[in-house]
């Protein structure tokens, strides 16, 4: 069981490199979290659960990188919800908390993050 989950999680690594939109990165982070929950319920090893968490954090970091670019470019107003309080653009389906956390992860230098 744990080996099957690890194989699926290894696919996350490839998908991370292919993430081009904030929606893709958010979806991948959600998928990794679902894998972690499933692994825990299935009684998988701590290694498997830690791998899922690692991919979730990496996907959130990628989300932060994408969001930083989108914010600089002003975002796509057709696919964004405009916040009335701050005037910032937040992609649909991404909470302020998630956006903030993702951008904080993206601001960590690569060598420190690794």
């Amino acid at each position: 069981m744990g080996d099957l989950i690890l194989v699926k999680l290894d696919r996350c690594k490839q998908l991370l490199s292919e993430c081009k939109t904030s929606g893709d990165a958010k979806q991948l982070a959600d998928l990794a979290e679902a894998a972690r929950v499933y692994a825990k319920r299935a009684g998988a090893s701590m290694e498997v659960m830690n791998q899922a968490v690692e991919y979730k954090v990496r996907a959130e970091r990628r989300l932060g990188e994408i969001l930083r670019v989108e914010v600089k470019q002003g975002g796509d107003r057709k696919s964004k919800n405009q916040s009335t309080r701050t005037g910032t653009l937040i992609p649909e389906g991404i909470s302020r908390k998630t956006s903030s956390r993702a951008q904080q992860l993206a601001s960590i230098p690569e060598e420190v993050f690794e």
Side-chain angles (χ1 to χ4, degrees):
M1 176 71 69
D3 291 339
L4 178 61
I5 296 170
L6 274 176
V7 168
K8 300 249 182 215
L9 286 171
D10 282 340
R11 175 85 169 106
C12 285
K13 192 173 189 176
Q14 179 184 359
L15 292 173
L16 262 175
S17 66
E18 297 172 4
C19 282
K20 302 293 184 222
T21 68
S22 55
D24 290 344
K26 174 71 167 90
Q27 187 176 21
L28 191 54
D30 291 346
L31 184 66
E33 175 60 13
R36 183 199 64 80
V37 170
Y38 175 78
K40 184 176 182 178
R41 289 183 181 165
S45 69
M46 187 61 77
E47 176 190 358
V48 172
M49 288 185 282
N50 286 342
Q51 189 76 34
V53 171
E54 178 184 344
Y55 285 122
K56 178 184 178 187
V57 171
R58 289 183 182 281
E60 287 178 346
R61 178 179 167 85
R62 180 68 184 128
L63 172 62
E65 293 168 352
I66 293 168
L67 288 174
R68 291 165 104 193
V69 170
E70 287 179 356
V71 168
K72 278 185 181 178
Q73 295 174 348
D76 176 4
R77 295 187 189 277
K78 291 181 182 174
S79 65
K80 309 283 187 248
N81 289 330
Q82 186 149 6
S83 168
T84 56
R85 288 190 0 199
T86 63
T88 58
L89 296 170
I90 300 174
E92 290 181 32
I94 299 174
S95 69
R96 286 177 180 266
K97 185 177 179 179
T98 300
S99 174
S100 176
R101 174 183 156 89
Q103 290 181 60
Q104 287 174 349
L105 284 169
S107 70
I108 299 171
E110 183 71 30
E111 59 278 354
V112 174
F113 180 79
E114 289 302 324

